[in-house]
Amino acid sequence: MVLQVVRPVDNLERYNVTRSNVNIYNNVSVGISVHSPVTLPSHQRDWAQLLLNPITTLLERHPILATVVGDHLTGHPVFLRLQSVDLLPLIQVYTASFDCNEDNMTTIAQVLEDEHNKPFNLADQARPLWRLTFVPIGDESFCLIYTFHHVIGDGRSAMALTEQLVEQLNLQLQSATPSPSPSPSPSPASSFKIPIVPDKPIPASIESRINCYPSIRSLLWEASRAIFLPGFIKKALETKYWAGEIDSSLEVPNQTEVGFLRLTQDETQAVVRVAKTRATTVQAILYTASIFAVRSVFMSGSTMDEKLEGCAAVERNDEEALVFATPCSLRELIPNRIGANEQGNYVSEILHDNIQVKDRSGFWAMTDAYRKEVVAGTTTPRGIQDLLEHFGALALLSKKDGSWEKFMTSKVTKDQHGRKASVKLSNLGRGWSTPSTSGTVATGGALYTIQDVVFSQSSGVTASALTMSAATANSRLSISTTWQKAAFHGRARGEMFVAEFKRILLLVALQHADTPELSYLDICPRH
């Protein structure tokens, strides 16, 4: 079967294809907990039947959801359009129900872990680059996790898509007529195949919307350091920074481990209040809490020393700096703004390097410094141009087959410890309201309602040692932290970071909101 070519894969999109080709990054998961007004389906086919019409609508609305990547191992990959999408194999149902409360966050972490460790097979041109996982929560709610390849979407588009799915479920609920009894025989497999409209364009790449090609200044910098300079010289010119306990390697599988936490509404509101009181942002507070937690758990003189019994010996270096990565959506930063509903990857990032956490480093001083950097990076012409050039330099790479894969794997030797950052924190902010609907609902007025959210990204071999993903729905902040299993001396090391991060965050928000300044030693005193 010959599939229709839609358009070429552009540079930022090819970057994500290449990461799959060399097995250093897998996928993104965005999920929502939904209260159901009807009895939950119990089997895969029942879920597929419930979703058939809503997914058909979304496939018509977002044609990129019905694409695959052709020639993915060559220097010129393309998007191909599927003729139909078989919904049934794209749905996985966990048979065991769980309670969605703070005491059972390990269950969500396990589901996310399972999803992140199942890479999409780009050679498979029968299935699209997304899937859905359903986990019952008690008898009346479920968690829907939408997992997708980064080449077809980003966090903002996934936020919009999951909202639209709930909207379509409610519209279906409104138009439904009660059935006297369930169908006595299961639907045939062919009934779940959704035909695809053959002539709808997919969203344009970021490079076709605005000039991302690097300036002469950036050309010289990238060409001399990132691309052509030998790794040992590049690293010698840089400040030494922490990026995990074990150096990155391509010799071990890229396995993601996940730590997950969700704040209560009161805790979330406390974080929001202290951000307003300090005239800063929640993102900036999460930043400082995370780098304080890295210092506390992984660097010398930490409060964690007494908890290391049973762990392998870890060499600590308090003189190392930290590098922090802030992913930024480009959708509203370019002149021709990109709507949240457009499915595509439109994300760049700011790198904050040489971050030093000393005993007397002030929490609010570091928060303010970070916020100023982000404001400058997302509001000034120079800052926005830097965001575009951050990935625009990919245009310098050769278009020969295998050249991008060779460059991507070279990062293991060119970046310190094989990783470009210590911590990355993506924050989708507030979202996921249940869209209003009109008319009479067959269930007596009840609707599917979104309760809270999950946002998570798989680990990257050459990316950051710790990848944090935050989002808020219904005044509840959820944060997933992922790391490569091979980056730490045991899973407990990553989980220790998650616990320390939460402790610091709530300490600042609940107990020290009015304190003029807090030093690192105030928050993480030595024993």
Side-chain angles (χ1 to χ4, degrees), residues 366-405:
M366 297 195 81
T367 299
D368 291 342
Y370 170 80
R371 181 174 182 270
K372 289 176 182 176
E373 284 188 26
V374 173
V375 168
T378 55
T379 61
T380 65
R382 179 68 260 175
I384 294 172
Q385 188 61 34
D386 284 343
L387 280 171
L388 296 171
E389 292 180 3
H390 182 75
F391 66 85
L394 293 169
L396 301 174
L397 297 179
S398 168
K399 300 297 184 182
K400 292 182 179 179
D401 294 358
S403 60
W404 282 46
E405 286 75 12

mmCIF file of all heavy atoms in Angstrom, residues 366-405:
data_model
loop_
_atom_site.group_PDB
_atom_site.id
_atom_site.type_symbol
_atom_site.label_atom_id
_atom_site.label_comp_id
_atom_site.label_asym_id
_atom_site.label_seq_id
_atom_site.Cartn_x
_atom_site.Cartn_y
_atom_site.Cartn_z
ATOM 1 N N MET A 366 17.212 34.057 43.934
ATOM 2 C CA MET A 366 17.380 33.177 42.781
ATOM 3 C C MET A 366 16.101 33.120 41.951
ATOM 4 O O MET A 366 16.134 33.068 40.723
ATOM 5 C CB MET A 366 17.784 31.773 43.242
ATOM 6 C CG MET A 366 19.125 31.731 43.968
ATOM 7 S SD MET A 366 19.812 30.075 44.134
ATOM 8 C CE MET A 366 20.538 29.873 42.522
ATOM 9 N N THR A 367 14.957 33.156 42.649
ATOM 10 C CA THR A 367 13.670 33.160 41.952
ATOM 11 C C THR A 367 13.531 34.412 41.091
ATOM 12 O O THR A 367 13.120 34.345 39.920
ATOM 13 C CB THR A 367 12.517 33.095 42.972
ATOM 14 O OG1 THR A 367 12.632 31.885 43.724
ATOM 15 C CG2 THR A 367 11.167 33.119 42.288
ATOM 16 N N ASP A 368 13.887 35.563 41.653
ATOM 17 C CA ASP A 368 13.786 36.822 40.905
ATOM 18 C C ASP A 368 14.739 36.847 39.714
ATOM 19 O O ASP A 368 14.379 37.320 38.627
ATOM 20 C CB ASP A 368 14.086 38.007 41.824
ATOM 21 C CG ASP A 368 13.001 38.220 42.869
ATOM 22 O OD1 ASP A 368 11.893 37.696 42.678
ATOM 23 O OD2 ASP A 368 13.270 38.896 43.877
ATOM 24 N N ALA A 369 15.971 36.352 39.907
ATOM 25 C CA ALA A 369 16.944 36.344 38.817
ATOM 26 C C ALA A 369 16.464 35.463 37.671
ATOM 27 O O ALA A 369 16.582 35.821 36.486
ATOM 28 C CB ALA A 369 18.295 35.855 39.326
ATOM 29 N N TYR A 370 15.890 34.318 38.014
ATOM 30 C CA TYR A 370 15.369 33.415 36.985
ATOM 31 C C TYR A 370 14.218 34.062 36.229
ATOM 32 O O TYR A 370 14.159 34.015 34.986
ATOM 33 C CB TYR A 370 14.908 32.107 37.640
ATOM 34 C CG TYR A 370 14.130 31.204 36.707
ATOM 35 C CD1 TYR A 370 14.786 30.393 35.784
ATOM 36 C CD2 TYR A 370 12.738 31.156 36.751
ATOM 37 C CE1 TYR A 370 14.072 29.561 34.929
ATOM 38 C CE2 TYR A 370 12.022 30.336 35.910
ATOM 39 C CZ TYR A 370 12.683 29.540 34.997
ATOM 40 O OH TYR A 370 11.966 28.726 34.148
ATOM 41 N N ARG A 371 13.293 34.666 36.967
ATOM 42 C CA ARG A 371 12.136 35.284 36.312
ATOM 43 C C ARG A 371 12.573 36.366 35.329
ATOM 44 O O ARG A 371 12.026 36.478 34.222
ATOM 45 C CB ARG A 371 11.196 35.866 37.362
ATOM 46 C CG ARG A 371 9.946 36.502 36.751
ATOM 47 C CD ARG A 371 8.964 36.926 37.831
ATOM 48 N NE ARG A 371 7.761 37.498 37.230
ATOM 49 C CZ ARG A 371 7.592 38.772 36.941
ATOM 50 N NH1 ARG A 371 8.574 39.642 37.214
ATOM 51 N NH2 ARG A 371 6.478 39.216 36.397
ATOM 52 N N LYS A 372 13.566 37.165 35.720
ATOM 53 C CA LYS A 372 14.054 38.216 34.822
ATOM 54 C C LYS A 372 14.636 37.622 33.539
ATOM 55 O O LYS A 372 14.445 38.158 32.449
ATOM 56 C CB LYS A 372 15.098 39.068 35.542
ATOM 57 C CG LYS A 372 14.511 39.965 36.634
ATOM 58 C CD LYS A 372 15.600 40.724 37.389
ATOM 59 C CE LYS A 372 15.000 41.570 38.500
ATOM 60 N NZ LYS A 372 16.051 42.255 39.305
ATOM 61 N N GLU A 373 15.352 36.503 33.672
ATOM 62 C CA GLU A 373 15.925 35.861 32.484
ATOM 63 C C GLU A 373 14.825 35.357 31.561
ATOM 64 O O GLU A 373 14.911 35.488 30.338
ATOM 65 C CB GLU A 373 16.823 34.697 32.906
ATOM 66 C CG GLU A 373 18.166 35.120 33.465
ATOM 67 C CD GLU A 373 19.084 33.929 33.682
ATOM 68 O OE1 GLU A 373 18.912 32.901 32.987
ATOM 69 O OE2 GLU A 373 19.973 34.027 34.550
ATOM 70 N N VAL A 374 13.783 34.748 32.136
ATOM 71 C CA VAL A 374 12.692 34.223 31.313
ATOM 72 C C VAL A 374 11.918 35.355 30.646
ATOM 73 O O VAL A 374 11.559 35.275 29.467
ATOM 74 C CB VAL A 374 11.752 33.342 32.160
ATOM 75 C CG1 VAL A 374 10.525 32.930 31.353
ATOM 76 C CG2 VAL A 374 12.494 32.096 32.646
ATOM 77 N N VAL A 375 11.666 36.429 31.391
ATOM 78 C CA VAL A 375 10.964 37.581 30.799
ATOM 79 C C VAL A 375 11.767 38.144 29.635
ATOM 80 O O VAL A 375 11.226 38.417 28.551
ATOM 81 C CB VAL A 375 10.706 38.664 31.866
ATOM 82 C CG1 VAL A 375 10.243 39.964 31.213
ATOM 83 C CG2 VAL A 375 9.668 38.180 32.877
ATOM 84 N N ALA A 376 13.077 38.315 29.830
ATOM 85 C CA ALA A 376 13.926 38.823 28.749
ATOM 86 C C ALA A 376 13.960 37.855 27.572
ATOM 87 O O ALA A 376 13.994 38.269 26.407
ATOM 88 C CB ALA A 376 15.348 39.070 29.268
ATOM 89 N N GLY A 377 13.909 36.571 27.866
ATOM 90 C CA GLY A 377 13.998 35.569 26.801
ATOM 91 C C GLY A 377 12.718 35.372 26.022
ATOM 92 O O GLY A 377 12.744 34.769 24.941
ATOM 93 N N THR A 378 11.589 35.868 26.554
ATOM 94 C CA THR A 378 10.307 35.645 25.881
ATOM 95 C C THR A 378 9.578 36.927 25.483
ATOM 96 O O THR A 378 8.498 36.853 24.885
ATOM 97 C CB THR A 378 9.368 34.823 26.787
ATOM 98 O OG1 THR A 378 9.233 35.484 28.052
ATOM 99 C CG2 THR A 378 9.918 33.420 27.012
ATOM 100 N N THR A 379 10.165 38.086 25.793
ATOM 101 C CA THR A 379 9.490 39.341 25.452
ATOM 102 C C THR A 379 10.341 40.276 24.613
ATOM 103 O O THR A 379 9.789 41.150 23.928
ATOM 104 C CB THR A 379 9.046 40.093 26.726
ATOM 105 O OG1 THR A 379 10.201 40.401 27.517
ATOM 106 C CG2 THR A 379 8.075 39.252 27.542
ATOM 107 N N THR A 380 11.649 40.158 24.659
ATOM 108 C CA THR A 380 12.508 41.058 23.884
ATOM 109 C C THR A 380 12.799 40.466 22.514
ATOM 110 O O THR A 380 12.826 39.234 22.354
ATOM 111 C CB THR A 380 13.837 41.298 24.617
ATOM 112 O OG1 THR A 380 14.572 40.064 24.692
ATOM 113 C CG2 THR A 380 13.598 41.819 26.029
ATOM 114 N N PRO A 381 13.016 41.286 21.509
ATOM 115 C CA PRO A 381 13.352 40.756 20.175
ATOM 116 C C PRO A 381 14.571 39.846 20.191
ATOM 117 O O PRO A 381 14.587 38.808 19.516
ATOM 118 C CB PRO A 381 13.604 42.031 19.359
ATOM 119 C CG PRO A 381 12.798 43.092 20.046
ATOM 120 C CD PRO A 381 12.857 42.752 21.491
ATOM 121 N N ARG A 382 15.605 40.223 20.949
ATOM 122 C CA ARG A 382 16.809 39.397 21.017
ATOM 123 C C ARG A 382 16.519 38.047 21.665
ATOM 124 O O ARG A 382 16.993 37.003 21.209
ATOM 125 C CB ARG A 382 17.890 40.125 21.809
ATOM 126 C CG ARG A 382 19.205 39.380 21.981
ATOM 127 C CD ARG A 382 19.954 39.231 20.672
ATOM 128 N NE ARG A 382 19.791 37.922 20.077
ATOM 129 C CZ ARG A 382 20.269 37.577 18.897
ATOM 130 N NH1 ARG A 382 20.932 38.458 18.173
ATOM 131 N NH2 ARG A 382 20.071 36.377 18.424
ATOM 132 N N GLY A 383 15.705 38.088 22.737
ATOM 133 C CA GLY A 383 15.372 36.848 23.426
ATOM 134 C C GLY A 383 14.578 35.904 22.548
ATOM 135 O O GLY A 383 14.856 34.696 22.496
ATOM 136 N N ILE A 384 13.586 36.431 21.845
ATOM 137 C CA ILE A 384 12.767 35.595 20.966
ATOM 138 C C ILE A 384 13.602 35.054 19.814
ATOM 139 O O ILE A 384 13.469 33.891 19.411
ATOM 140 C CB ILE A 384 11.558 36.395 20.460
ATOM 141 C CG1 ILE A 384 10.630 36.744 21.631
ATOM 142 C CG2 ILE A 384 10.793 35.611 19.396
ATOM 143 C CD1 ILE A 384 9.513 37.692 21.294
ATOM 144 N N GLN A 385 14.499 35.887 19.279
ATOM 145 C CA GLN A 385 15.371 35.417 18.207
ATOM 146 C C GLN A 385 16.274 34.287 18.701
ATOM 147 O O GLN A 385 16.513 33.308 17.976
ATOM 148 C CB GLN A 385 16.225 36.573 17.682
ATOM 149 C CG GLN A 385 17.041 36.239 16.437
ATOM 150 C CD GLN A 385 16.163 35.832 15.254
ATOM 151 O OE1 GLN A 385 15.049 36.339 15.097
ATOM 152 N NE2 GLN A 385 16.650 34.908 14.442
ATOM 153 N N ASP A 386 16.751 34.392 19.932
ATOM 154 C CA ASP A 386 17.574 33.318 20.498
ATOM 155 C C ASP A 386 16.776 32.019 20.599
ATOM 156 O O ASP A 386 17.317 30.928 20.370
ATOM 157 C CB ASP A 386 18.094 33.709 21.880
ATOM 158 C CG ASP A 386 19.253 34.701 21.807
ATOM 159 O OD1 ASP A 386 19.850 34.839 20.720
ATOM 160 O OD2 ASP A 386 19.555 35.337 22.839
ATOM 161 N N LEU A 387 15.504 32.120 20.968
ATOM 162 C CA LEU A 387 14.663 30.924 21.033
ATOM 163 C C LEU A 387 14.533 30.260 19.669
ATOM 164 O O LEU A 387 14.599 29.035 19.545
ATOM 165 C CB LEU A 387 13.275 31.286 21.563
ATOM 166 C CG LEU A 387 13.125 31.456 23.071
ATOM 167 C CD1 LEU A 387 11.757 32.028 23.408
ATOM 168 C CD2 LEU A 387 13.333 30.129 23.786
ATOM 169 N N LEU A 388 14.357 31.071 18.645
ATOM 170 C CA LEU A 388 14.236 30.538 17.289
ATOM 171 C C LEU A 388 15.559 29.947 16.811
ATOM 172 O O LEU A 388 15.594 28.887 16.172
ATOM 173 C CB LEU A 388 13.767 31.629 16.329
ATOM 174 C CG LEU A 388 12.367 32.200 16.601
ATOM 175 C CD1 LEU A 388 12.101 33.412 15.720
ATOM 176 C CD2 LEU A 388 11.297 31.137 16.358
ATOM 177 N N GLU A 389 16.646 30.612 17.149
ATOM 178 C CA GLU A 389 17.957 30.142 16.695
ATOM 179 C C GLU A 389 18.425 28.925 17.481
ATOM 180 O O GLU A 389 19.319 28.205 17.033
ATOM 181 C CB GLU A 389 18.986 31.273 16.815
ATOM 182 C CG GLU A 389 18.739 32.416 15.843
ATOM 183 C CD GLU A 389 19.759 33.536 15.971
ATOM 184 O OE1 GLU A 389 20.690 33.371 16.786
ATOM 185 O OE2 GLU A 389 19.636 34.540 15.262
ATOM 186 N N HIS A 390 17.828 28.702 18.645
ATOM 187 C CA HIS A 390 18.223 27.553 19.452
ATOM 188 C C HIS A 390 18.086 26.260 18.663
ATOM 189 O O HIS A 390 18.924 25.368 18.752
ATOM 190 C CB HIS A 390 17.363 27.491 20.717
ATOM 191 C CG HIS A 390 17.716 26.360 21.640
ATOM 192 N ND1 HIS A 390 18.836 26.377 22.437
ATOM 193 C CD2 HIS A 390 17.098 25.175 21.875
ATOM 194 C CE1 HIS A 390 18.895 25.246 23.127
ATOM 195 N NE2 HIS A 390 17.860 24.512 22.816
ATOM 196 N N PHE A 391 17.005 26.155 17.887
ATOM 197 C CA PHE A 391 16.865 24.974 17.025
ATOM 198 C C PHE A 391 17.107 25.315 15.556
ATOM 199 O O PHE A 391 17.291 24.427 14.729
ATOM 200 C CB PHE A 391 15.482 24.340 17.192
ATOM 201 C CG PHE A 391 14.344 25.202 16.713
ATOM 202 C CD1 PHE A 391 13.962 25.204 15.391
ATOM 203 C CD2 PHE A 391 13.663 26.015 17.599
ATOM 204 C CE1 PHE A 391 12.920 25.997 14.947
ATOM 205 C CE2 PHE A 391 12.609 26.810 17.168
ATOM 206 C CZ PHE A 391 12.237 26.798 15.838
ATOM 207 N N GLY A 392 17.110 26.623 15.239
ATOM 208 C CA GLY A 392 17.358 27.030 13.851
ATOM 209 C C GLY A 392 18.722 26.596 13.367
ATOM 210 O O GLY A 392 18.939 26.380 12.163
ATOM 211 N N ALA A 393 19.666 26.433 14.309
ATOM 212 C CA ALA A 393 21.013 25.994 13.946
ATOM 213 C C ALA A 393 21.028 24.580 13.386
ATOM 214 O O ALA A 393 22.032 24.154 12.794
ATOM 215 C CB ALA A 393 21.934 26.085 15.158
ATOM 216 N N LEU A 394 19.927 23.842 13.544
ATOM 217 C CA LEU A 394 19.848 22.511 12.941
ATOM 218 C C LEU A 394 20.008 22.579 11.423
ATOM 219 O O LEU A 394 20.402 21.597 10.782
ATOM 220 C CB LEU A 394 18.509 21.854 13.288
ATOM 221 C CG LEU A 394 18.279 21.493 14.764
ATOM 222 C CD1 LEU A 394 16.824 21.096 14.983
ATOM 223 C CD2 LEU A 394 19.210 20.371 15.183
ATOM 224 N N ALA A 395 19.701 23.740 10.852
ATOM 225 C CA ALA A 395 19.843 23.908 9.404
ATOM 226 C C ALA A 395 21.297 23.792 8.960
ATOM 227 O O ALA A 395 21.576 23.591 7.769
ATOM 228 C CB ALA A 395 19.269 25.259 8.978
ATOM 229 N N LEU A 396 22.229 23.913 9.906
ATOM 230 C CA LEU A 396 23.646 23.801 9.558
ATOM 231 C C LEU A 396 24.076 22.361 9.327
ATOM 232 O O LEU A 396 25.123 22.118 8.729
ATOM 233 C CB LEU A 396 24.504 24.396 10.686
ATOM 234 C CG LEU A 396 24.278 25.867 11.041
ATOM 235 C CD1 LEU A 396 25.107 26.233 12.254
ATOM 236 C CD2 LEU A 396 24.601 26.759 9.864
ATOM 237 N N LEU A 397 23.291 21.420 9.832
ATOM 238 C CA LEU A 397 23.681 20.012 9.733
ATOM 239 C C LEU A 397 23.508 19.489 8.320
ATOM 240 O O LEU A 397 22.640 19.926 7.555
ATOM 241 C CB LEU A 397 22.851 19.169 10.701
ATOM 242 C CG LEU A 397 23.015 19.485 12.188
ATOM 243 C CD1 LEU A 397 22.111 18.583 13.017
ATOM 244 C CD2 LEU A 397 24.465 19.330 12.621
ATOM 245 N N SER A 398 24.315 18.515 7.982
ATOM 246 C CA SER A 398 24.256 17.888 6.668
ATOM 247 C C SER A 398 22.917 17.185 6.463
ATOM 248 O O SER A 398 22.318 16.670 7.416
ATOM 249 C CB SER A 398 25.397 16.873 6.532
ATOM 250 O OG SER A 398 25.215 16.059 5.396
ATOM 251 N N LYS A 399 22.458 17.150 5.238
ATOM 252 C CA LYS A 399 21.220 16.454 4.889
ATOM 253 C C LYS A 399 21.477 15.024 4.428
ATOM 254 O O LYS A 399 20.562 14.332 3.983
ATOM 255 C CB LYS A 399 20.474 17.218 3.791
ATOM 256 C CG LYS A 399 20.080 18.637 4.153
ATOM 257 C CD LYS A 399 19.113 18.687 5.326
ATOM 258 C CE LYS A 399 18.667 20.117 5.608
ATOM 259 N NZ LYS A 399 17.769 20.192 6.776
ATOM 260 N N LYS A 400 22.693 14.557 4.531
ATOM 261 C CA LYS A 400 23.011 13.199 4.108
ATOM 262 C C LYS A 400 22.375 12.185 5.058
ATOM 263 O O LYS A 400 22.204 12.440 6.244
ATOM 264 C CB LYS A 400 24.527 13.000 4.062
ATOM 265 C CG LYS A 400 25.233 13.795 2.978
ATOM 266 C CD LYS A 400 26.729 13.505 2.985
ATOM 267 C CE LYS A 400 27.445 14.282 1.888
ATOM 268 N NZ LYS A 400 28.913 14.022 1.899
ATOM 269 N N ASP A 401 22.088 11.009 4.521
ATOM 270 C CA ASP A 401 21.516 9.945 5.338
ATOM 271 C C ASP A 401 22.431 9.635 6.515
ATOM 272 O O ASP A 401 23.646 9.465 6.350
ATOM 273 C CB ASP A 401 21.326 8.673 4.508
ATOM 274 C CG ASP A 401 20.284 8.839 3.414
ATOM 275 O OD1 ASP A 401 19.685 9.925 3.326
ATOM 276 O OD2 ASP A 401 20.074 7.870 2.648
ATOM 277 N N GLY A 402 21.865 9.576 7.700
ATOM 278 C CA GLY A 402 22.611 9.207 8.898
ATOM 279 C C GLY A 402 23.393 10.330 9.557
ATOM 280 O O GLY A 402 23.926 10.147 10.657
ATOM 281 N N SER A 403 23.454 11.504 8.927
ATOM 282 C CA SER A 403 24.275 12.589 9.476
ATOM 283 C C SER A 403 23.687 13.130 10.779
ATOM 284 O O SER A 403 24.424 13.435 11.720
ATOM 285 C CB SER A 403 24.424 13.713 8.453
ATOM 286 O OG SER A 403 23.143 14.239 8.100
ATOM 287 N N TRP A 404 22.372 13.275 10.840
ATOM 288 C CA TRP A 404 21.747 13.783 12.056
ATOM 289 C C TRP A 404 21.886 12.776 13.192
ATOM 290 O O TRP A 404 22.098 13.152 14.341
ATOM 291 C CB TRP A 404 20.269 14.096 11.807
ATOM 292 C CG TRP A 404 20.058 15.388 11.081
ATOM 293 C CD1 TRP A 404 20.725 15.823 9.974
ATOM 294 C CD2 TRP A 404 19.132 16.412 11.417
ATOM 295 N NE1 TRP A 404 20.251 17.048 9.590
ATOM 296 C CE2 TRP A 404 19.272 17.441 10.455
ATOM 297 C CE3 TRP A 404 18.184 16.566 12.417
ATOM 298 C CZ2 TRP A 404 18.498 18.597 10.487
ATOM 299 C CZ3 TRP A 404 17.405 17.709 12.448
ATOM 300 C CH2 TRP A 404 17.566 18.718 11.492
ATOM 301 N N GLU A 405 21.751 11.505 12.868
ATOM 302 C CA GLU A 405 21.907 10.469 13.890
ATOM 303 C C GLU A 405 23.325 10.480 14.451
ATOM 304 O O GLU A 405 23.524 10.348 15.673
ATOM 305 C CB GLU A 405 21.570 9.095 13.306
ATOM 306 C CG GLU A 405 20.090 8.838 13.082
ATOM 307 C CD GLU A 405 19.507 9.573 11.878
ATOM 308 O OE1 GLU A 405 20.294 10.120 11.066
ATOM 309 O OE2 GLU A 405 18.273 9.606 11.728
#
